[in-house]
Amino acid sequence: MIKGKTALVTGSTSGIGLGVARCLAAQGANVILNGFGEHEQARAEIAALGVKAGYHGADMSVPTQIEAMMAYAVSDFGGVDILVNNAGIQHVAPVEDFPVEKWDAIIAINLSSAFHTTRLAVPAMRKQNWGRIINIASAHGLVASAQKSAYVAAKHGIVGFTKSIALETATTGITVNAICPGWVLTPLVQKQIDARAAKEGISVQQANIGLLAEKQPSLQFTTPQQLGELAVFLCSSAADNVRGQAWAVDGGWTAQ
Ligand code: NAD
């Protein structure tokens, strides 16, 4: 089912995106990576799995760059069969102090970029009557935390967007779903742990435990690999009729 298909994973130079890209490549999907920072090692690692691996450095906050990335996918890979909207950033501050440019960037990267990739990917998916769109939302797509207004708004937004596009494509071979992770130990969360350790004058290890204990009853981080395996399942024929779901992998966070 996945073998020979092309997956585009936004924000896949680290963390969850890279984990999802690895799992899809392990099943034989060609992969287009995207994101900032070092990417040659990630690309080589994906290629070593025996698939075609590409990279495009589009900034997900800039619609014209997203258009260029989607054009690259068509010219170099023949299009996108599996679209994983994963790129995301975080900023933590009370609303009255929230920097306006941070609000705009979070909405652009965490939410609007998925609109642009999706609008550009869907026509070819409709033509071939097959496609998978997987949006990496968050537990914060289902419930809120204080001081994360932009992030929570964007993640609730992408869960709603997921449902809407799932309905638009419901009679086709395209499925659209969201994955809602709780805490995953990636650079995005490491920053929050480090900030917590500094603010409370505690060790990074204590900050780790405190962060988990506050929200995630399992007291364990979810891994990028576990999320990648869920993405593989959503790409399988067993998931042909899973549509518009927001699938939590959050150690019990949203069960409370
Ligand atoms: P990360 O910081 O490890 O990775 C983010 C990726 O996005 C990187 O590849 C980065 O280069 C890329 N990126 C950032 N800004 C970009 C931009 N403007 N254009 C293109 N790429 C950009 O973070 P992560 O934790 O792996 O997060 C990935 C996704 O998972 C995000 O949407 C995040 O909100 C979501 N998420 C993370 C957690 C967690 O606990 N880590 C939990 C729930 C949801």
Side-chain angles (χ1 to χ4, degrees):
M1 193 98 194
I2 296 179
K3 198 168 165 44
K5 299 265 192 322
T6 295
L8 167 65
V9 186
T10 69
S12 47
T13 50
S14 78
I16 294 169
L18 183 54
V20 170
R22 274 193 196 117
C23 289
L24 294 173
Q27 297 297 319
N30 299 319
V31 172
I32 302 170
L33 297 170
N34 157 261
F36 299 150
E38 205 291 315
H39 58 85
E40 203 34 60
Q41 196 185 321
R43 207 195 59 75
E45 192 193 311
I46 299 284
L49 294 167
V51 300
K52 184 172 171 185
Y55 168 80
H56 195 282
D59 181 335
M60 287 299 112
S61 66
V62 183
T64 52
Q65 293 191 25
I66 296 173
E67 284 167 11
M69 178 179 71
M70 299 305 281
Y72 160 77
V74 172
S75 66
D76 283 41
F77 285 78
V80 175
D81 306 300
I82 300 165
L83 170 63
V84 183
N85 289 306
N86 168 80
I89 59 167
Q90 175 63 286
H91 187 79
V92 181
V95 70
E96 62 271 34
D97 299 334
F98 213 91
V100 170
E101 65 279 7
K102 287 282 183 201
W103 173 278
D104 288 343
I106 288 174
I107 299 299
I109 297 164
N110 298 22
L111 177 59
S112 301
S113 71
F115 159 66
H116 293 294
T117 54
T118 300
R119 73 180 170 81
L120 295 164
V122 159
M125 288 181 178
R126 277 193 193 280
K127 238 179 234 163
Q128 66 188 20
N129 198 34
W130 197 91
R132 291 290 187 262
I133 299 176
I134 300 171
N135 296 321
I136 307 300
S138 169
H140 284 118
L142 303 169
V143 296
S145 295
Q147 307 210 349
K148 294 186 175 175
S149 56
Y151 190 83
V152 169
K155 295 299 187 181
H156 275 66
I158 201 154
V159 168
F161 179 72
T162 301
K163 292 178 188 175
S164 194
I165 311 309
L167 293 178
E168 290 183 22
T169 55
T171 59
T172 76
I174 307 167
T175 71
V176 189
N177 290 287
I179 294 176
C180 296
W183 292 123
V184 185
L185 194 52
T186 66
L188 181 140
V189 166
Q190 191 62 52
K191 269 191 222 156
Q192 294 173 65
I193 292 170
D194 294 345
R196 190 184 182 111
K199 189 172 164 213
E200 297 178 14
I202 55 177
S203 71
V204 168
Q205 202 192 353
Q206 284 170 315
N208 247 329
I209 294 164
L211 183 103
L212 285 170
E214 205 172 78
K215 299 281 185 186
Q216 194 143 305
S218 68
L219 301 180
Q220 286 174 37
F221 289 104
T222 298
T223 66
Q225 163 127 19
Q226 288 168 334
L227 300 172
E229 295 299 344
L230 176 55
V232 167
F233 168 70
L234 289 173
C235 291
S236 73
S237 54
D240 275 352
N241 215 21
V242 179
R243 295 171 185 270
Q245 292 306 300
W247 194 319
V249 190
D250 64 2
W253 180 326
T254 55
Q256 298 170 94

